[in-house]
Amino acid sequence: MKFLWSLLAVFMALSSSAAERKTRNVFLITTDGLRWEEVFNGADQTMFTREYGNISNPTNARAAWWRESAEERRKIVMPFLWNEVAAKGQLWGNRQKKSEVRVSNGRNFSYPGYNEFLTGIADPKIDSNDKKLNWNTNVFEFLNTQPGFQGRVAAVINWDVLPWILNGPRAQFPIWTPFDAPEGTVRLEVPELINDMAERSKTVWANVILDTFISAAAKHTVKTMKPRAMYIQFGETDDWAHDGAYERYLKSAREFDRFIGELWALVQSMPEYRDSTTFIITTDHGRGPAPVAWKNHGANVADSAYMWLAALGPDTPPHGERSETPPITQSQTAATVAAFVGQNFLAASPKSSPPIQGLFVP
Ligand SMILES: [Zn+2]
C-alpha cells in the first residue's frame, strides 16, 4: 500500500509538471556546422584576408562585420539570437564563460551528429555519411505516434542524406527535401513554384541547395499544416565554410538568424502557436579554430566537438547567455524536444540521453 501511494505521488508529480508546462508545439531548427565562436563572438577578423577567408576587400568586410566588442559583433551576425533569445530565452555553449555543449560521438561530422541529436544516441556504429537507413528511432518519429501529435509532425530539410538519417519510410511523418528520398518516404507537399525553383537552384553544391527554399517551404508548412512538432534544417553554413568563403558563411548564418526571427513572428501571429511554442536552435558539429582549421571539422579536429544550443519559449527561464553551466551533450537534444511538450522520449528509446536540466522550469 505504501508502495502504491509513493507510486501515485510520483505519477502526480510527473503529470502536474507536464500540465503546468505551457509548450504545446516544438520546433527544432538547425544550421549545419556553424561554430560557437561566431555565435558568441561574431566575425573573426583574422579571416578577413584572401588567404584565410577568400575575402578580396578586407576594408569592406571590416566595415560590414567588425566592431570592437564581441557583444556588438555577434549582434551583426545573429541579431534575433542576441536581441530576442538573449532577453527571453537561453544560449549555451560560450566556452569563454565556462558553458560547454559537446558532440559526444567522437566523429564531429554530419550523419553521426544529426543521428546524435535527433535520436539521443551517440552511436559508434555510425561512421560515415553514406545513405543508409538509420536504425535508431528519432524523436519526431516518436512524437508522431503520440496522442495529439499523430499527423501533426513534419520536417523540411536541405542536406540530401537527412531522409535516410530520419528513416523516412519507417518514420512516416511528411518530409520536404529538394533531393531524392528512400522509397516509402511520405513527401511533404509545398507549392509547385518552390519545388521548381529549388530544382533549378542546384548550381552551387551537389547535395545542398540555397537555404532560401528551406525557409519558403518551412513557412508554407507552418501556415497550412500547422505541425505541433517540426524539424527544420539549414545547410549553407557548412558548405561555405568548407569552400573557405568566410563572408558567405557569415551571411548564411545571418540569414539563418533572420529566418528564426521571421518564424517566431509568424507563430506568435497564429492562435494555434501564440505563447505555446518553443524553439530549440542548434547545430550538428563545430569546426576547427581560426585562421585555417575553421574550414574543417572531424575526429582529427578536436575543437570541432564544441558547439552551441539555444532555446526560446514560454517554459524556458530567461537566463540569456549562460555561464558556468554543467557540461551538456548534443545527445540530450532529442529528449529535450519531447520534454518540452510533456512527452518522455526515454520510455520509447531507453538508450537516449536525458533532457537538459535548466532549459525549462523543473
Ligand atoms: Zn561539413
Side-chain angles (χ1 to χ4, degrees):
M1 194 61 188
K2 200 174 175 195
F3 172 74
L4 274 177
W5 279 117
S6 52
L7 205 66
L8 188 68
V10 168
F11 175 76
M12 285 171 69
L14 281 174
S15 55
S16 73
S17 72
E20 285 161 20
R21 214 155 277 162
K22 298 189 185 83
T23 301
R24 304 252 314 138
N25 317 285
V26 63
F27 287 75
L28 177 62
I29 312 166
T30 67
T31 190
D32 200 302
L34 175 62
R35 303 194 312 161
W36 69 269
E37 288 93 328
E38 276 76 26
V39 171
F40 291 97
N41 295 333
D44 183 332
Q45 65 176 344
T46 57
M47 268 81 95
F48 290 169
T49 68
R50 189 175 284 286
E51 184 187 3
Y52 296 132
N54 196 27
I55 287 176
S56 52
N57 190 328
T59 308
N60 286 356
R62 199 165 281 112
W65 304 97
W66 185 255
R67 301 292 180 272
E68 278 311 310
S69 73
E71 286 74 17
E72 291 172 279
R73 288 194 303 274
R74 66 195 188 185
K75 275 191 184 175
I76 298 174
V77 183
M78 309 198 84
F80 183 76
L81 242 53
W82 289 109
N83 290 316
E84 292 297 315
V85 181
K88 298 173 188 160
Q90 294 190 25
L91 298 112
W92 294 51
N94 188 347
R95 292 181 72 193
Q96 293 149 321
K97 297 191 172 168
K98 295 197 169 62
S99 178
E100 285 191 348
V101 183
R102 278 195 69 124
V103 176
S104 64
N105 59 60
R107 302 194 190 273
N108 311 337
F109 64 84
S110 286
Y111 195 141
Y114 286 105
N115 170 71
E116 181 174 336
F117 72 71
L118 288 163
T119 76
I121 298 167
D123 190 337
K125 294 192 295 297
I126 293 173
D127 59 359
S128 80
N129 282 340
D130 294 348
K131 287 177 176 167
K132 292 181 187 163
L133 286 172
N134 196 346
W135 46 81
N136 299 314
T137 302
N138 70 71
V139 65
F140 293 95
E141 174 181 13
F142 161 73
L143 287 175
N144 194 43
T145 65
Q146 298 305 300
F149 286 90
Q150 286 146 328
R152 304 289 307 279
V153 178
V156 167
I157 55 187
N158 192 338
W159 185 42
D160 72 337
V161 185
L162 271 153
W164 280 261
I165 300 174
L166 290 166
N167 199 329
R170 193 190 61 209
Q172 282 299 300
F173 59 80
I175 295 172
W176 186 77
T177 167
F179 296 102
D180 291 339
E183 201 182 329
T185 301
V186 180
R187 307 291 289 237
L188 178 61
E189 299 291 331
V190 302
E192 195 45 41
L193 183 63
I194 296 176
N195 286 326
D196 188 56
M197 289 195 296
E199 183 58 34
R200 290 162 202 269
S201 78
K202 295 175 180 172
T203 53
V204 189
W205 306 288
N207 48 19
V208 167
I209 62 166
L210 295 177
D211 285 328
T212 181
F213 305 106
I214 305 305
S215 166
K219 286 184 209 162
H220 172 82
T221 302
V222 170
K223 287 177 196 161
T224 54
M225 180 189 165
K226 299 171 185 156
R228 289 191 60 195
M230 185 169 182
Y231 177 48
I232 303 166
Q233 188 254 344
F234 277 52
E236 277 189 49
T237 40
D238 187 64
D239 287 88
W240 291 126
H242 283 299
D243 291 351
Y246 191 60
E247 205 167 3
R248 290 188 168 175
Y249 165 75
L250 294 173
K251 284 181 182 173
S252 52
R254 191 167 62 187
E255 284 302 317
F256 173 67
D257 177 271
R258 176 156 79 156
F259 166 75
I260 298 165
E262 288 173 351
L263 191 71
W264 186 253
L266 175 62
V267 299
Q268 297 309 325
S269 75
M270 297 170 67
E272 295 86 351
Y273 288 115
R274 185 179 307 127
D275 298 329
S276 62
T277 301
T278 289
F279 283 9
I280 299 169
I281 308 152
T282 187
T283 187
D284 57 325
H285 55 72
R287 323 191 69 82
V292 175
W294 72 275
K295 297 173 189 175
N296 293 309
H297 57 89
N300 58 348
V301 184
D303 284 338
S304 59
Y306 295 101
M307 44 173 282
W308 53 274
L309 183 142
L312 175 65
D315 296 308
T316 297
H319 298 325
E321 182 182 17
R322 296 288 307 261
S323 55
E324 315 259 342
T325 57
I328 58 168
T329 61
Q330 147 178 91
S331 62
Q332 295 178 258
T333 310
T336 303
V337 167
F340 267 115
V341 287
Q343 301 288 327
N344 179 6
F345 184 47
L346 270 61
S349 181
K351 287 184 184 162
S352 294
S353 295
I356 300 161
Q357 299 301 315
L359 270 192
F360 39 78
V361 181

